[in-house]
Amino acid sequence: MKCRKCGEKAVINMRQHKLALCKTHFLDWIPGQTQRFIEKYRMFGPQERVLVAVSGGKDSLSLWDILWRLGYQADGLYIGLGIDGGLNYSSESQRLTQIFAEQRDLKLHIVNVLENYGETIPEMAQRTTRGKGKPCSVCGLTKRHIMNRIAREGAYDVLVTGHNLDDEAAVLFGNTLNWIPGYLVRQGPVLEANRPGLVRKAKPLCRIYEREMAAYALMRGIEYIYDECPYAEGSKSIYYKELLNKLEADRPGAKLSFYLSFLQAKKNGLFAQAADPDIELLHTCPTCGQPTSAPGECAFCRMTVKIVE
Ligand code: AMP
Ligand code: FES
Ligand code: ZN
Ligand code: ZN
């Protein structure tokens, strides 16, 4: 197989695009595509300050690398969750993130959940009933809260995450199986800050396959944490990803077209009537100032208040 651009030996074949590329052209192509999607979905401009949420995984570190190469003003945020799982998951991912930032002389904010809120994520999950013993929902709530808090405190224009096409297709698949209109309306490449106290969010990698992000990190020589979060094992999202990959194997491009057709349908107004009032963030939390769906303290402040006091 030969590179479409130069005829040298190709190192990757992307069947959904009918495109094979050599290493040099692949390493060029990924940032080029990312730039295209940043513009297409109006995620942010060159003058805006970007905060990249980095987990130490391949997607978010590669995203930070790409934004840096594209010349954006992008700082990082790492959230120390206190997850060990027998593999030093959090401390190892923090170490790799710090090395990455130092190598490129980039600014990295670090927020440690234990130091800030008195408990690690697994401890918080044990104490509360949220998520029935599994820490993932406590973790998701905490990450969303901290990401928005640091973005506001640092006056960033936009917060970006490393969600790739496989992540987005799996979320979409779950929301479609359950037909949750409120979630479907809000899923997309950009979530505007349409409430006071909320920062715009964007996912510049939302159209790039996970496989290609892994290839990018590897070819770029980015050291990232290979392990998944130990609590992700057996999760629905991994199961949905496997199902979608089976579909993809028979029909190259199926994952991408599932996601893109959804975006098109939404653009055409399919979900226009479906805004779910329950998840509309109409109120402001008196403690943290972030928007919340009901009057009074937000779910995060209610969850952590016992410890902070
Ligand atoms: P996940 O929910 O683990 O699939 O991660 C999705 C995205 O959230 C990643 O690509 C990162 O941008 C961000 N993220 C996940 N974990 C962390 C963390 N510990 N600190 C900062 N950002 C994170
Ligand atoms: Fe949060 Fe796994 S529980 S990353
Ligand atoms: Zn080439
Ligand atoms: Zn709050």
Side-chain angles (χ1 to χ4, degrees), residues 81 83 89 121-122 134-140 143 228-232:
L81 304 165
I83 293 174
Y89 178 73
I121 291 293
K134 265 222 151 200
C136 305
S137 108
V138 166
C139 180
K143 284 193 288 199
E228 292 264 3
C229 165
Y231 298 108

Side-chain angles (χ1 to χ4, degrees), residues 145 285 287-290 297-298 301:
H145 178 91
C285 170
T287 307
C288 71
Q290 293 198 22
E297 276 192 323
C298 72
C301 289

